[in-house]
Amino acid sequence: MPGAPDSDAVAQGHGVGVVGATALGVGGMIGAGLFTMLGLAAQASGGQLPLAIVIAGMAAGLTAYSYAQLSARFPSRGGSARFVVAGFGQGVISGALNTFQFIAYAISLAMCARSFGEYLATAAGGWQNAAAVIAGLLVLAAVTVANLAGAGTVTTVETAVVAIELALLIGVVVVGFAAGGSTTAPVRADGVLHVIAGAALMYTSFQGFAVITNASGNMARPQRTVPLATVITLTIVALVYLGVAEVLLHRLSASVISANATHVLATLGSEIAGHWGLLVVSGCALLANASVLNSGLFGAGGVAGYAARAGQLPARLARPLGRNGSYSTVVTSSLVAVAVCVLPLQALGEVTTLMFLLVYAAITVGHLRIRHQTGARAWVLVLAVVVNAVLFGALLLRAIDTGSTATVVTLPALVVVAVLFQVVWQRRRRGAGVAGS
């Protein structure tokens, strides 16, 4: 595609293998999506939470298929940003989409940082909200430094963190099923719309596959590594989610889940094993959210850097910073910090989900335009677009129905910001006589 730089497909080295890519994917999925969104999804889908998780995993698999095919044809650390340019060419449409998904990454990472702060506050005995926000900002600063050290450091950290994280979660599931005590009646769902909305909320928890594709420029054989790591990642994560969901629904009542939705797993740990259970699960949540920040910031930096090289964002974002980092990492981290301070945790989760559903649908539409280059099956891509649209509609309707004002206002505002920025930016570039704008 003219004007779409591909040099980053080889310039970053070939340090990411199947294990590292799987660690990025699992680390990108098991985090705020599980520890924050699971409670919100349980509120929506009730006793049908396992079904909502299965729907979410299948929907993620459809989009992951599209991403894997695109990644094999267009390997690049820019990942999804590269896919947008490949599908829609240069112009306001692709520029707005890449700006929008860059913001979506920042919002999703802000959710992780706020979740980190909330679980730390819960473990510490109920800190004030300001203290939780400060804790989130501190962990954000730490992972920013880690990302500036380069992809090798990111995957090394992820491999260690994910191993600990999975061991702790599996322990929760085993102890939860084995522990004595009476079970509760399943939480009731309000209807099909709310079950689908629950699936949409859990869908965010599977979005780590995008981080895998963003690392394709660092792979020696992305055509093999991306799909293999994606399948392994989705399988591991789905099994973990289903196990935790079953324990949750049979150990906590509907009222308890509702009252503790954004840190419900800490409450579950306390119910199973008392104060030590609370500390163990909260510690797992801290590791999980830190790992999502670590891997997600890596992916966001790749998106911003590619868009900058394509002329859709300021060129400074692609400039190197430190030993292996770039200015895009620091800018992304700054946007995340702003979102952490402004939006409540529930709104961050809902807006993140809605934004990525739009991004996934749009990228898959673009993929349909160029599927002759990737060899992807048209019916799978069409189904992926439809499923993303249905999940988006269900969650948006539920947000309106439940009066989530911050979500309903923030989403369209960010769409407008992305479009207006690109209109102004590209007019400025044309006025300056920059080719390829």
Side-chain angles (χ1 to χ4, degrees):
M1 179 66 61
D6 288 312
S7 59
D8 60 334
V10 295
Q12 301 293 328
H14 299 306
V16 181
V18 173
V19 174
T22 300
L24 281 173
V26 174
M29 291 183 192
I30 300 180
L34 177 62
F35 290 95
T36 299
M37 303 307 291
L38 186 65
L40 299 176
Q43 281 184 307
S45 54
Q48 299 301 315
L49 178 60
L51 174 60
I53 291 173
V54 171
I55 293 172
M58 293 175 64
L62 291 171
T63 302
Y65 169 81
S66 175
Y67 270 54
Q69 295 293 319
L70 286 166
S71 182
R73 175 64 180 82
F74 306 104
S76 166
R77 189 194 164 189
S80 52
R82 175 69 179 97
F83 304 158
V84 168
V85 174
F88 295 97
Q90 292 282 16
V92 172
I93 292 177
S94 64
L97 280 172
N98 277 337
T99 301
F100 185 75
Q101 72 168 314
F102 175 50
I103 298 172
Y105 266 110
I107 297 294
S108 69
L109 294 176
M111 177 182 67
C112 299
R114 281 296 296 266
S115 180
F116 181 96
E118 177 149 340
Y119 270 91
L120 184 59
T122 302
W127 286 351
Q128 296 297 319
N129 182 63
V133 170
I134 291 172
L137 294 175
L138 289 176
V139 72
L140 172 63
V143 299
T144 300
V145 172
N147 267 260
L148 291 175
T153 300
V154 173
T155 53
T156 299
V157 171
E158 288 301 320
T159 301
V161 169
V162 168
I164 297 172
E165 183 182 319
L166 286 175
L168 288 173
L169 286 175
I170 292 171
V172 168
V173 173
V174 172
V175 174
F177 279 121
S182 60
T183 60
T184 65
V187 185
R188 295 180 63 85
D190 293 329
V192 175
L193 173 65
H194 292 274
V195 174
I196 297 176
L201 289 167
M202 288 306 300
Y203 190 14
T204 305
S205 308
F206 287 94
Q207 73 179 34
F209 63 79
V211 178
I212 297 175
T213 62
N214 287 344
S216 62
N218 299 89
M219 299 174 184
R221 292 189 294 169
Q223 294 84 356
R224 173 183 179 273
T225 302
V226 171
L228 182 57
T230 299
V231 170
I232 295 172
T233 297
L234 287 173
T235 301
I236 292 173
V237 171
L239 291 175
V240 171
Y241 286 177
L242 287 171
V244 175
E246 287 292 342
V247 174
L248 175 70
L249 292 176
H250 289 86
R251 301 293 303 187
L252 299 181
S253 66
S255 59
V256 171
I257 291 175
S258 179
N260 301 278
T262 55
H263 56 268
V264 72
L265 288 184
T267 304
L268 176 62
S270 178
E271 196 278 337
I272 292 174
H275 184 65
W276 282 108
L278 169 67
L279 293 180
V280 168
V281 174
S282 295
C284 188
L286 297 180
L287 284 172
N289 281 286
S291 74
V292 172
L293 281 168
N294 188 42
S295 60
L297 193 60
F298 175 77
V303 169
Y306 181 87
R309 288 187 291 274
Q312 298 173 338
L313 290 174
R316 181 179 294 273
L317 293 179
R319 295 179 183 175
L321 179 65
R323 188 174 64 181
N324 291 302
S326 68
Y327 280 92
S328 63
T329 303
V330 176
V331 172
T332 303
S333 183
S334 300
L335 291 176
V336 172
V338 172
V340 166
C341 296
V342 172
L343 292 174
L345 184 53
Q346 180 170 343
L348 285 170
E350 291 176 342
V351 172
T352 294
T353 302
L354 291 167
M355 292 183 76
F356 275 106
L357 285 170
L358 283 177
V359 169
Y360 295 152
I363 288 177
T364 308
V365 168
H367 191 174
L368 279 167
R369 293 161 53 99
I370 59 169
R371 67 181 183 85
H372 60 281
Q373 298 184 45
T374 65
R377 297 180 182 275
W379 70 267
V380 179
L381 301 182
V382 171
L383 184 58
V385 173
V386 171
V387 169
N388 278 291
V390 170
L391 293 175
F392 175 87
L395 182 56
L396 182 60
L397 288 174
R398 183 175 185 273
I400 295 172
D401 182 57
T402 57
S404 299
T405 304
T407 299
V408 175
V409 171
T410 302
L411 179 66
L414 293 178
V415 172
V416 171
V417 166
V419 174
L420 287 181
F421 174 82
Q422 278 303 308
V423 169
V424 173
W425 174 253
Q426 295 200 27
R427 282 182 178 176
R428 178 182 175 185
R429 296 186 77 241
R430 284 195 297 269
V434 179
S437 60

